[in-house]
Amino acid sequence: MVAYLLRRLGQSLLAVIAMAVLVFIGVYAIGNPVDILINPEATERQRLEVMERMGLDRPLWEQFWVYFGNLLQGDFGRSFVYGESAMSVILQRLPATMELALFALVLAIVFGVPLGVIAGLKPDTFTGRGIMAGSILGFSLPNFWQGLMMILIFAVFLGWLPAGGRGQTTEFLGMRVSFLNWDGLKHMILPAINLALFKMALVIRLARAGTREVMMQDYIKFARAKGLSYRRVVLVHVLKNIMIPVVTILGLELGSMIAFAVVTETVFAWPGMGKLLIDSINRLDRPVIVAYLMLIVFLFVLINFLVDLLYSVLDPRVRLAQRGAQ
Amino acid sequence: MPNTSSRALLMSASAALALAAGAVGADTLRIGLASEPTSVDPHYHNLGPNNALARHIFTPLIVQDANQLLEPGLATEWEAIDDTTWRLTLREGVTFSNGDPFTARDVIYTICRIPLVPDAPSPFTLYTRAIAGLEAENDYTLIVTTDGPAPLLPNQLSTFGIVSASVSGAEDEVVFGGDECTGVGDAPASAEFNSPDFAIGTGPYTLGAYIRGEELRLSRNENFFGDAPVWDEIVMRPLTNSGARVAALLAGDVHMIENPPTQDIARIEGDGFTISSGLSNRVIYIALDQGDAPTPGIDGDINPLQDARVREALALSIDREAIRDRLMLGLSEPAGELLPAPMFGTNPDRPAIPYNPDRARELLAEAGYDDGFSIVLGTPNDRYINDGPISQAVAQMWTQVGVRTEVDAKTFSAFIADRNGFNFSAFLAGWGAGTGEMSSPLGALVATRDPDRSLGGTNLARHSNTEIDDLLVEALQTVDDGERERLLREASTIAMDTFAIVPIHYELTTWALAPGLEYEARADQYTLGAAVLRAD
Amino acid sequence: MTDIPNPTPAKKAKAISPLRAAMLDFAASPLAMIGLFVMVVMALSAIFAPWITPQNPYDLSQLSIMDNNMPPGSESFGGMTYWLGTDPQGRDMLSAIIYGLRMSLMVAVTATLCALAIGMAMGITAAYFGGRVDTLIMRVVDLQLSFPAILVALILLAILGKGVDKVIIALVIVQWAYYARTVRGSALVERQRDYIAAARGLGLGHARVMFRHLLPNTLPPLIVVATVQIAQAIALEATLSFLGVGVPVTEPSLGLLIANGYSYLLSGAYWISVYPGIALLVAIIAINLVGDQLRDVLNPRLRR
């Protein structure tokens, strides 16, 4: 088991390195950031000076070598735009994204599990079908479209909630967070729901499938026959059985939530890492793009590894070798 | 539907909203910025938002007013003793926000530091390179020598703020020596200026906090040498999404926003808010490749654009007033030159290029293109106000006189790469004259490409006319204002008469403010919270 | 989708009755039939867009900015009625939406077919040969699937640049792995069957066994995946275009039309964004309805 996990970790690390090389080459081969950053009134000589200082005049392989060397010492390079360490620029934005993702995750569970259980208990009723139809919509409609509609309804027509931005933040454990004051929370509601919808649909499906499966098991029938109340059966046995897959899958999905935040943050102008990535792509801020990717890849490798570990701990029957990614 | 339950949540949330409508401190001005400054270091990135922020904290020697005319800043007087020597008289009794006195040493330090800023993506060396010598006669008199006649020196000195030598770790004596200054110490990294302890200047405000992506706080500088600033505190929030910016203004979250989208202005005004708009120094133009035949966007071995009649036809077929009325909703002024009058070097009597499609067809026929030709018009679609739609409109208008036009719209970074690689026969772009006078657009966009003379840097149309070049070079060495202006006017007239470049319009810069506030629109497009006044 | 290959091409003699049965099963759901109808109408209007739209939104000589931002139902100077209004360039929204649908469908269907072909080849190869080949292919598939499609596509396009072809490439790269996994799964099961052993016993070549015998039997689950994936591809393309890295602005897809109208949403010119949004919504829902029913029909385990 340990050998298997180690091998898997090793493979993932190799993949990370391969990815870094590819992304670096890809990102560094396009355009010239100096052309975007420099004041148009600058002279040709000045332009060359700036390129030289940023190391852009050197051949690609040499730039990569320098970058890789620095990387081994934990230096992700300096942002061309901000002149600060690329990683610190990203980490400044991390709390905003994490806060949004976690809030969305909570929403997904708090609303998704009960809805899914209801749909599982009453699959053929109007409510059950309605919930499932909603989850199909949540799955298949593009995230940005849902976001736009939410803005249109709640910000434009009803005027209840702000259309975007982060609002007031308060200091909490050394980070700036929104959920502790009303203005911040108000700004977070729409983006968090937007980010949560897709995962909520997933939770509903998982919870429904789990519920149906559990309800058909013999021991449930037995428990019912023994006279246990319906309520107790649902609360204890069903919930216990569906929470494991729901929590593991959502853990796995936290990474994709952070990735999907790119879209939500763009729609709602939320100043998180995803927005930073889009801005950096537009401004050719290469060190930030590459550092963001390394961070995300690392996060995914870590999450996958943890889930593997968790699976083997929670359920020895799971044959790790055959586990698909989803 | 998952929506049902979330809607219930929202309903209760909005009920609470009514109670919590926050009252903003009466002496705090909150501004929604369209783009965020990338650093507080005034010498890091020569970029509008950074320069505007710097003006709050650091005062330059000479200050540009709303029309980019020069006014005393930390220097009260400046005069040219001869063609290459200037005397600057510094303001006495000024202190930095930390209480240190301001002297000539700080000026020398600042000019020495500019080339040393690490990783500056667009350094200010552009404005200091003319300076060959810098000597302090005493604490309040500076003698500047230049390596040739430098009539633009005062304009150049107005572009950067003065930082404190002591705070930056300079020695007691800083000596200017061209490339090598002595006594500078270790030049601080730009990121250090993002801390209030380091961002020490002589401006009306001091830095309170700089939280990237969220908020920038400025507090009143009690030691400011000028009139006491109106606002105790200024809070700037980057709201890059224009819709969110407007919503924040209408909801009262901010008192002022930059660049409200043109289509929202009527609604904002309708709600009782104030709109302030004024001509900027930025012209939107179309460059037509006159370098080689064939040219990339036109089929065949020809380059019709080398023929001035064809260029004139293309210029005449653009309905500038329709663009102003339909696309810009009044927020542009049709252009006939590269800089709006009455800025320095413009011909105030020259009208905008008229719309005359019939004449355009005649000219095309005269040039031998009865059947027109087809062309690709390159354009960015996220850089200038309505840039994509303007290009589409121009393409429609060209197509209607027989020049079949296809638009190649790209995000600015991709556009720039293509443009600088000469991949466009025609492209739309903008030029803002940082110095606020005619040599800036003419020298960059029209003069023959010549890196040695620093001319034609952005002349990607490869237009070349020695007559214009000569006038321009002469103007750049003429210290006498009247004579220089005459030369620039003449050069501009020739460039416009030969359709070296096709101007479309000057952008109007717009601000929207809460009722009861006033702001004088600035040609340099800077948003200066310190200049926002109460209407009463 | 009309271009989906016939599910049972190989065993012609026996195929007629199961196919009919499947069709009847499919028709049993009125919702799915509505979905199919909408899908066909959309596909037809996309294909015949140049002949049925009131205006060619790409032909600049037909547009006039004097007509821009008109609300739905306005009349142009030329007397034409803009039923769904016009956009900032003076394009008739109805025409723009039909052309946008054409672009969206074209990109999604092309990408799905290419991804299907690649994924199928890889999946069959992995299942048939097993061992190291299998491990290698499936490792890549696993790795690919562990990253969210949106992120992979975003980075690819940041590197490749804008363009219809590039969007298709990015969609193929993020999608092939789904098919590879699906095909491998069902092919592994089929491989154990006697007829494959018999075919190999007869000395038939690898390629022949793989593509003539193994492949046809893996098709049903693949069709289900492909149908749903077309909807996913449409959604993903729309998202990428919305983020500004998708199709070029001069050839807008539905996603780009929505993005273009985004900044007008708050100004009350809702039609520029909302109508393309509805078209996108309808297309995706229709495809999903069909896909869901197909899954029920083609997957005997789920049959009630």
Side-chain angles (χ1 to χ4, degrees):
Chain A
M1 184 59 64
V2 173
Y4 169 79
L5 288 175
L6 280 179
R7 202 174 70 228
R8 207 180 153 90
L9 193 65
Q11 283 169 343
S12 306
L13 281 180
L14 267 178
V16 171
I17 292 171
M19 195 108 159
V21 176
L22 283 178
V23 165
F24 183 92
I25 292 172
V27 171
Y28 274 67
I30 44 164
N32 182 350
V34 175
D35 287 341
I36 294 171
L37 295 171
I38 203 162
N39 187 302
E41 291 185 332
T43 60
E44 184 64 22
R45 209 187 68 196
Q46 248 195 326
R47 214 177 73 99
L48 294 176
E49 275 169 16
V50 174
M51 283 183 65
E52 197 181 315
R53 220 175 24 221
M54 290 181 172
L56 297 171
D57 55 334
R58 287 184 258 178
L60 196 60
W61 62 267
E62 209 177 304
Q63 290 185 43
F64 180 71
W65 207 235
V66 172
Y67 184 84
F68 198 70
N70 290 336
L71 195 61
L72 289 180
Q73 297 158 24
D75 176 3
F76 286 83
R78 275 162 182 271
S79 156
F80 292 162
V81 172
Y82 298 108
E84 279 179 48
S85 145
M87 200 40 100
S88 79
V89 170
I90 293 172
L91 292 179
Q92 284 168 5
R93 302 289 190 94
L94 184 70
T97 298
M98 287 307 284
E99 187 185 15
L100 189 64
L102 288 175
F103 190 32
L105 209 59
V106 170
L107 288 180
I109 293 179
V110 167
F111 291 98
V113 170
L115 288 172
V117 171
I118 293 171
L121 292 175
K122 304 171 180 169
D124 291 320
T125 61
F126 181 76
T127 323
R129 284 175 184 275
I131 290 172
M132 285 320 287
S135 100
I136 290 178
L137 286 188
F139 251 130
S140 46
L141 291 183
N143 216 244
F144 78 93
W145 191 91
Q146 298 169 342
L148 286 187
M149 288 304 111
M150 282 162 56
I151 291 181
L152 189 66
I153 295 169
F154 296 106
V156 180
F157 286 154
L158 299 175
W160 291 350
L161 291 165
R166 195 178 178 193
Q168 287 277 28
T169 53
T170 17
E171 188 108 3
F172 177 69
L173 298 178
M175 285 181 300
R176 305 200 67 86
V177 295
S178 302
F179 72 93
L180 287 178
N181 70 76
W182 174 237
D183 183 63
L185 199 61
K186 202 169 71 178
H187 280 82
M188 193 158 67
I189 292 172
L190 285 186
I193 292 177
N194 182 230
L195 193 56
L197 281 178
F198 186 81
K199 301 301 160 198
M200 208 186 287
L202 185 70
V203 172
I204 290 177
R205 289 192 165 194
L206 284 172
R208 174 178 177 265
T211 310
R212 290 189 71 176
E213 199 178 316
V214 171
M215 292 306 282
M216 286 203 247
Q217 300 284 328
D218 290 341
Y219 72 91
I220 296 284
K221 290 177 185 157
F222 185 65
R224 290 278 287 153
K226 248 177 64 181
L228 248 64
S229 77
Y230 188 66
R231 213 181 127 88
R232 193 175 152 76
V233 168
V234 170
L235 280 182
V236 176
H237 293 282
V238 173
L239 278 186
K240 206 173 85 184
N241 272 283
I242 61 175
M243 279 322 269
I244 289 177
V246 165
V247 169
T248 37
I249 295 281
L250 278 188
L252 191 70
E253 292 286 324
L254 182 66
S256 94
M257 209 127 166
I258 290 170
F260 260 101
V262 173
V263 180
T264 299
E265 286 175 7
T266 307
V267 174
F268 291 94
W270 185 263
M273 299 193 310
K275 182 91 175 26
L276 180 70
L277 176 69
I278 298 282
D279 290 347
S280 300
I281 288 176
N282 284 331
R283 288 187 295 210
L284 296 185
D285 196 349
R286 298 167 177 175
V288 175
I289 303 177
V290 178
Y292 175 88
L293 286 174
M294 305 282 275
L295 187 72
I296 287 283
V297 169
F298 174 76
L299 202 69
F300 271 86
V301 168
L302 189 74
I303 290 175
N304 283 337
F305 182 71
L306 287 179
V307 169
D308 273 353
L309 208 65
L310 211 63
Y311 260 101
S312 60
V313 172
L314 283 178
D315 189 353
R317 287 170 306 168
V318 174
R319 279 196 53 209
L320 284 162
Q322 281 198 348
R323 195 185 65 78
Q326 283 193 333
Chain B
M1 290 262 317
N3 269 343
T4 338
S5 41
S6 24
R7 197 164 294 154
L9 177 81
L10 288 175
M11 290 200 184
S12 56
S14 64
L17 169 75
L19 301 172
V24 194
D27 289 326
T28 300
L29 178 72
R30 304 175 70 88
I31 304 176
L33 299 180
S35 46
E36 187 183 21
T38 53
S39 172
V40 184
D41 182 348
H43 309 139
Y44 173 64
H45 198 166
N46 182 12
L47 187 76
N50 289 35
N51 295 347
L53 170 64
R55 280 286 295 275
H56 290 87
I57 306 172
F58 306 93
T59 315
L61 287 171
I62 297 166
V63 174
Q64 294 185 6
D65 72 0
N67 296 312
Q68 290 192 283
L69 299 175
L70 302 181
E71 279 184 346
L74 285 176
T76 49
E77 280 168 52
W78 54 96
E79 57 171 331
I81 305 171
D82 58 50
D83 265 7
T84 58
T85 316
W86 295 73
R87 176 188 289 117
L88 303 177
T89 312
L90 304 185
R91 198 180 286 272
E92 294 186 38
V94 174
T95 56
F96 283 94
S97 56
N98 66 354
D100 290 351
F102 157 77
T103 63
R105 169 170 163 260
D106 300 299
V107 179
I108 298 174
Y109 176 79
T110 297
I111 291 170
C112 282
R113 178 191 181 238
I114 282 175
L116 302 177
V117 180
D119 294 324
S122 182
F124 282 77
T125 47
L126 180 62
Y127 305 121
T128 57
R129 70 194 149 105
I131 299 173
L134 192 58
E135 229 165 298
E137 260 180 14
N138 56 50
D139 270 359
Y140 299 102
T141 311
L142 267 173
I143 300 297
V144 184
T145 48
T146 58
D147 54 7
L152 295 181
L153 186 74
N155 300 65
Q156 290 166 340
L157 293 178
S158 71
T159 55
F160 53 88
I162 303 298
V163 297
S164 159
S166 305
V167 172
S168 302
E171 290 164 27
D172 286 343
E173 194 166 337
V174 185
V175 180
F176 181 85
D179 291 338
E180 280 302 318
C181 291
T182 51
V184 177
D186 289 332
S190 295
E192 293 191 49
F193 279 86
N194 297 343
S195 138
D197 302 336
F198 215 94
I200 302 295
T202 57
Y205 286 86
T206 60
L207 183 65
Y210 171 63
I211 307 162
R212 190 169 287 150
E214 283 176 33
E215 191 168 90
L216 228 157
R217 288 180 174 276
L218 300 170
S219 329
R220 181 167 25 204
N221 174 9
E222 303 298 342
N223 294 331
F224 182 54
F225 62 85
D227 297 337
V230 177
W231 309 98
D232 284 345
E233 196 180 33
I234 297 177
V235 178
M236 300 185 183
R237 277 174 49 191
L239 296 168
T240 48
N241 178 307
S242 57
R245 206 155 62 235
V246 174
L249 177 75
L250 296 181
D253 292 346
V254 295
H255 303 127
M256 173 186 192
I257 58 170
E258 296 181 324
N259 302 340
T262 46
Q263 68 270 16
D264 282 322
I265 285 175
R267 193 167 59 111
I268 295 172
E269 259 179 324
D271 284 2
F273 288 78
T274 313
I275 296 287
S276 161
S277 70
L279 271 179
S280 71
N281 60 22
R282 181 182 278 165
V283 64
I284 300 296
Y285 65 89
I286 289 180
L288 300 168
D289 180 29
Q290 298 147 48
D292 299 316
T295 171
I298 296 178
D299 290 338
D301 278 340
I302 48 162
N303 185 353
L305 305 175
Q306 288 171 328
D307 189 327
R309 288 170 299 186
V310 174
R311 300 199 297 268
E312 184 175 357
L314 292 176
L316 291 178
S317 58
I318 299 172
D319 186 349
R320 291 168 177 74
E321 287 175 7
I323 292 177
R324 177 192 64 197
D325 297 340
R326 299 298 306 188
L327 287 177
M328 304 296 287
L329 304 180
L331 293 176
S332 68
E333 187 173 301
E337 280 189 289
L338 296 174
L339 201 64
M343 292 178 105
F344 192 86
T346 55
N347 293 289
D349 299 331
R350 197 175 174 95
I353 301 176
Y355 172 54
N356 193 343
D358 297 330
R359 177 74 190 129
R361 283 189 203 95
E362 271 173 40
L363 283 163
L364 283 173
E366 274 174 36
Y369 298 98
D370 303 64
D371 299 330
F373 51 92
S374 57
I375 190 170
V376 177
L377 173 65
T379 180
N381 62 358
D382 53 5
R383 177 74 170 185
Y384 309 107
I385 304 175
N386 295 334
D387 43 10
I390 293 170
S391 295
Q392 292 275 359
V394 168
Q396 287 173 19
M397 292 160 182
W398 283 359
T399 304
Q400 279 150 13
V401 296
V403 178
R404 296 169 298 281
T405 311
E406 202 181 300
V407 173
D408 185 1
K410 291 185 160 83
T411 185
F412 186 64
S413 54
F415 166 79
I416 278 284
D418 268 355
R419 184 188 81 171
N420 291 1
F422 298 101
N423 291 332
F424 292 128
S425 286
F427 66 84
L428 176 137
W431 184 267
T435 51
E437 46 76 57
M438 188 57 93
S439 77
S440 160
L442 280 184
L445 305 176
V446 178
T448 307
R449 289 175 71 78
D450 183 354
D452 294 337
R453 290 197 293 187
S454 297
L455 285 178
T458 313
N459 179 4
L460 296 154
R462 290 173 284 186
H463 178 80
S464 177
N465 182 342
T466 47
E467 215 180 333
I468 299 177
D469 297 348
D470 293 345
L471 284 165
L472 206 55
V473 168
E474 199 184 331
L476 287 173
Q477 301 193 337
T478 306
V479 176
D480 179 75
D481 280 351
E483 177 61 9
R484 188 166 82 254
E485 181 154 35
R486 191 190 64 75
L487 291 164
L488 288 174
R489 281 179 173 162
E490 199 181 330
S492 170
T493 304
I494 296 171
M496 292 300 113
D497 286 348
T498 55
F499 295 90
I501 188 166
V502 178
I504 297 180
H505 61 228
Y506 312 114
E507 284 182 352
L508 262 62
T509 313
T510 315
W511 290 264
L513 300 104
L517 295 182
E518 272 178 359
Y519 185 65
E520 186 187 0
R522 291 183 62 90
D524 55 18
Q525 309 189 317
Y526 294 172
T527 300
L528 302 183
V532 177
L533 302 173
R534 289 199 180 88
D536 47 70
Chain C
M1 211 53 295
T2 42
D3 339 24
I4 284 175
N6 189 319
T8 48
K11 296 173 284 175
K12 292 181 192 89
K14 283 199 280 173
I16 293 164
S17 61
L19 179 62
R20 273 200 87 149
M23 281 166 65
L24 286 175
D25 269 357
F26 186 88
S29 158
L31 221 51
M33 287 309 282
I34 296 174
L36 187 66
F37 175 74
V38 172
M39 240 169 81
V40 170
V41 169
M42 283 192 145
L44 288 179
S45 46
I47 293 166
F48 296 107
W51 292 279
I52 59 167
T53 51
Q55 184 192 61
N56 177 355
Y58 300 154
D59 181 359
L60 295 174
S61 62
Q62 289 186 23
L63 309 181
S64 164
I65 55 159
M66 301 309 283
D67 284 349
N68 72 345
N69 291 339
M70 285 188 166
S74 309
E75 238 175 71
S76 76
F77 294 121
M80 176 180 139
T81 307
Y82 298 120
W83 294 110
L84 298 184
T86 60
D87 76 355
Q89 264 101 60
R91 271 194 292 242
D92 171 39
M93 281 315 293
L94 179 64
S95 310
I97 288 170
I98 296 176
Y99 270 84
L101 186 68
R102 180 184 164 94
M103 175 58 75
S104 290
L105 286 180
M106 196 276 280
V107 169
V109 171
T110 314
T112 304
L113 289 181
C114 293
L116 187 71
I118 296 174
M120 219 150 63
M122 294 306 240
I124 291 268
T125 310
Y128 184 77
F129 290 105
R132 293 200 155 208
V133 178
D134 187 27
T135 312
L136 182 71
I137 293 178
M138 292 324 284
R139 206 82 299 240
V140 177
V141 167
D142 270 0
L143 187 75
Q144 171 97 57
L145 289 180
S146 66
F147 292 99
I150 176 78
L151 203 65
V152 177
L154 190 65
I155 294 309
L156 278 171
L157 286 170
I159 293 168
L160 295 172
K162 264 190 195 181
V164 177
D165 48 340
K166 285 151 189 155
V167 176
I168 294 177
I169 293 173
L171 290 181
V172 170
I173 292 178
V174 298
Q175 288 201 327
W176 71 274
Y178 291 100
Y179 302 109
R181 203 174 58 179
T182 314
V183 169
R184 174 178 171 272
S186 39
L188 272 181
V189 178
E190 291 295 322
R191 207 171 75 118
Q192 316 296 331
R193 301 271 166 90
D194 293 343
Y195 71 94
I196 297 289
R200 295 192 63 179
L202 285 173
L204 297 180
H206 287 317
R208 197 175 154 88
V209 175
M210 269 161 55
F211 290 101
R212 290 298 297 277
H213 298 276
L214 211 44
L215 184 65
N217 289 295
T218 61
L219 275 178
L222 208 55
I223 290 166
V224 176
V225 176
T227 318
V228 179
Q229 282 298 315
I230 287 182
Q232 292 286 330
I234 292 177
L236 188 55
E237 182 276 323
T239 305
L240 292 169
S241 296
F242 177 80
L243 291 177
V245 293
V247 298
V249 281
T250 42
E251 295 166 90
S253 65
L254 290 178
L256 194 61
L257 287 174
I258 298 172
N260 286 343
Y262 176 37
S263 52
Y264 292 85
L265 203 58
L266 294 169
S267 336
Y270 65 91
W271 60 90
I272 306 172
S273 204
V274 168
Y275 290 135
I278 291 175
L280 183 72
L281 174 80
V282 171
I284 290 177
I285 291 179
I287 295 173
N288 271 295
L289 286 176
V290 173
D292 264 20
Q293 184 67 6
L294 272 180
R295 185 179 52 219
D296 289 353
V297 171
L298 294 175
N299 190 343
R301 259 186 55 213
L302 279 178
R303 227 177 253 179
R304 288 182 199 133

